[in-house]
Amino acid sequence: MSDAPIGVFDSGLGGMSVLREMLRRLPHENFIYVADSGHCPYGGKSQQQIVARAVAITDFLLGRGAKLIVVACNTATVAAVEYLRANYSCGFVGMEPAVKPAVALTRNGVVGVLATVATLSGDKLHRLIDRHAGSVRIITQPCPGLPERVEAGELDSTQTRVLVERYTAPLLAGGADVLVLGSTHYPFLRPLIQQVVGAGVKLLDTGDAVARRVEQVLSGASHGDAAGEDLRADRVGRGQVEWFTSGTPQHMQSVGSRLWGLPIAAGVLPA
Ligand code: DGL
């Protein structure tokens, strides 16, 4: 079991920002990454539609022997992780926007959260804010259109910059000095966002925190579904990543490779 792969999925290429952090912490693990680019974005979809996609991808990953599944998508976590945990016996690790560290980091007491419409309207984020915000003011901003720009590989095009300016303006006007990147696509836009908001505003994402959580679950130290069992790979060399997409392999090969920084050859996710 320990040599089995870790399954990772996102609505598209965004979850690669989480995979990058996991590879850093867990270099001996094998991973299977599924980009649901053929169905991206999830942000405007209904919960039912997102659950259906999450189930199809989970079945695929389990069919390939995954020992743990990382839902590397904030939107899918909000919409589907409870359903997945209730209906499958394997462990799931989901995303959580970095509200807690942002609250600890702000100096002027205002935090901005950039996320999808679905993430912002879910109970999960409101519970997180209720639990951690205290006297800090949290301003949320939906960002329709941004994942599509990342999927198109447009990390600094005029169109992308216009959207980033539009979505960050109300947060800056409200006085936010920390912005939470609440979608796994946004870390790819970090240089552009930083340029737009200025060096004085801190940007936080959750990739490394999720990688640490995965490490903990694999080691059996967690109280989650995999409690007690050591699921860590015992290979000495580096693990491998297998790539699948519901979009076209050409898209993964061109845009995916550019975001990843290395050539990627992707298989097609069966319909
Ligand atoms: N990557 C997804 C997330 O983390 C968002 C993109 C989408 O709308 O599909 O929320």
Short mmCIF file of all heavy atoms in Angstrom, two decimals, residues 10-11 40-43 73-75 116 147 183-185, ligand 1:
data_model
loop_
_atom_site.label_atom_id
_atom_site.label_comp_id
_atom_site.label_asym_id
_atom_site.label_seq_id
_atom_site.Cartn_x
_atom_site.Cartn_y
_atom_site.Cartn_z
N ASP A 10 -7.99 18.74 -9.46
CA ASP A 10 -8.47 20.12 -9.45
C ASP A 10 -9.39 20.30 -10.66
O ASP A 10 -9.41 19.45 -11.56
CB ASP A 10 -7.27 21.09 -9.55
CG ASP A 10 -7.72 22.55 -9.62
OD1 ASP A 10 -8.56 22.95 -8.81
OD2 ASP A 10 -7.22 23.28 -10.50
N SER A 11 -10.11 21.41 -10.69
CA SER A 11 -10.93 21.72 -11.85
C SER A 11 -10.07 21.90 -13.10
O SER A 11 -10.60 21.93 -14.21
CB SER A 11 -11.72 23.00 -11.61
OG SER A 11 -10.82 24.08 -11.42
N CYS A 40 -13.62 22.89 -16.54
CA CYS A 40 -13.22 24.10 -15.81
C CYS A 40 -13.94 25.31 -16.40
O CYS A 40 -14.08 25.39 -17.62
CB CYS A 40 -11.70 24.29 -15.93
SG CYS A 40 -11.05 25.59 -14.87
N PRO A 41 -14.42 26.28 -15.62
CA PRO A 41 -14.25 26.40 -14.18
C PRO A 41 -15.35 25.72 -13.37
O PRO A 41 -16.47 25.54 -13.87
CB PRO A 41 -14.33 27.91 -13.96
CG PRO A 41 -15.27 28.39 -15.03
CD PRO A 41 -15.04 27.48 -16.21
N TYR A 42 -15.03 25.34 -12.14
CA TYR A 42 -16.04 24.81 -11.21
C TYR A 42 -16.78 25.96 -10.52
O TYR A 42 -17.88 25.77 -10.02
CB TYR A 42 -15.36 23.99 -10.10
CG TYR A 42 -14.92 22.58 -10.46
CD1 TYR A 42 -15.09 22.04 -11.73
CD2 TYR A 42 -14.30 21.79 -9.49
CE1 TYR A 42 -14.67 20.75 -12.02
CE2 TYR A 42 -13.88 20.49 -9.78
CZ TYR A 42 -14.06 19.97 -11.04
OH TYR A 42 -13.64 18.70 -11.32
N GLY A 43 -16.13 27.13 -10.47
CA GLY A 43 -16.61 28.25 -9.65
C GLY A 43 -18.07 28.62 -9.84
O GLY A 43 -18.73 29.01 -8.88
N CYS A 73 -8.39 21.75 -4.79
CA CYS A 73 -9.30 22.75 -5.36
C CYS A 73 -10.19 23.24 -4.22
O CYS A 73 -10.90 22.44 -3.60
CB CYS A 73 -10.13 22.08 -6.45
SG CYS A 73 -11.40 23.13 -7.16
N ASN A 74 -10.15 24.52 -3.95
CA ASN A 74 -10.98 25.07 -2.86
C ASN A 74 -12.46 24.87 -3.15
O ASN A 74 -13.24 24.53 -2.26
CB ASN A 74 -10.70 26.57 -2.69
CG ASN A 74 -9.32 26.82 -2.12
OD1 ASN A 74 -9.15 26.89 -0.92
ND2 ASN A 74 -8.34 26.93 -3.00
N THR A 75 -12.83 25.07 -4.40
CA THR A 75 -14.24 25.00 -4.78
C THR A 75 -14.77 23.57 -4.61
O THR A 75 -15.86 23.37 -4.06
CB THR A 75 -14.40 25.47 -6.24
OG1 THR A 75 -13.73 26.73 -6.38
CG2 THR A 75 -15.85 25.63 -6.61
N THR A 116 -13.50 31.78 -5.57
CA THR A 116 -14.60 31.65 -6.54
C THR A 116 -15.93 31.95 -5.86
O THR A 116 -16.03 31.94 -4.62
CB THR A 116 -14.67 30.21 -7.11
OG1 THR A 116 -15.02 29.31 -6.04
CG2 THR A 116 -13.36 29.78 -7.73
N PRO A 147 -9.67 31.83 -13.32
CA PRO A 147 -9.13 30.49 -13.62
C PRO A 147 -8.98 30.27 -15.13
O PRO A 147 -8.00 29.67 -15.57
CB PRO A 147 -10.17 29.53 -13.05
CG PRO A 147 -10.96 30.33 -12.09
CD PRO A 147 -10.89 31.75 -12.51
N SER A 183 -7.99 30.31 -4.20
CA SER A 183 -8.19 29.32 -5.27
C SER A 183 -6.81 28.84 -5.67
O SER A 183 -5.84 29.62 -5.68
CB SER A 183 -8.87 29.96 -6.48
OG SER A 183 -8.59 29.19 -7.65
N THR A 184 -6.71 27.55 -6.00
CA THR A 184 -5.39 27.00 -6.30
C THR A 184 -4.85 27.48 -7.65
O THR A 184 -3.68 27.27 -7.95
CB THR A 184 -5.43 25.46 -6.26
OG1 THR A 184 -6.46 25.00 -7.16
CG2 THR A 184 -5.71 24.97 -4.86
N HIS A 185 -5.70 28.14 -8.45
CA HIS A 185 -5.19 28.73 -9.69
C HIS A 185 -4.38 30.01 -9.42
O HIS A 185 -3.51 30.36 -10.20
CB HIS A 185 -6.34 29.08 -10.65
CG HIS A 185 -6.85 27.91 -11.44
ND1 HIS A 185 -7.68 26.94 -10.90
CD2 HIS A 185 -6.67 27.56 -12.74
CE1 HIS A 185 -7.97 26.05 -11.85
NE2 HIS A 185 -7.37 26.41 -12.97
N1 DGL B 1 -8.87 25.85 -8.65
C1 DGL B 1 -10.20 26.11 -8.18
C2 DGL B 1 -10.18 26.43 -6.68
O1 DGL B 1 -9.20 26.20 -5.99
C3 DGL B 1 -10.97 27.22 -8.82
C4 DGL B 1 -11.12 27.31 -10.26
C5 DGL B 1 -12.52 27.05 -10.79
O2 DGL B 1 -13.42 27.90 -10.69
O3 DGL B 1 -12.65 25.98 -11.35
O4 DGL B 1 -11.16 26.89 -6.18
#
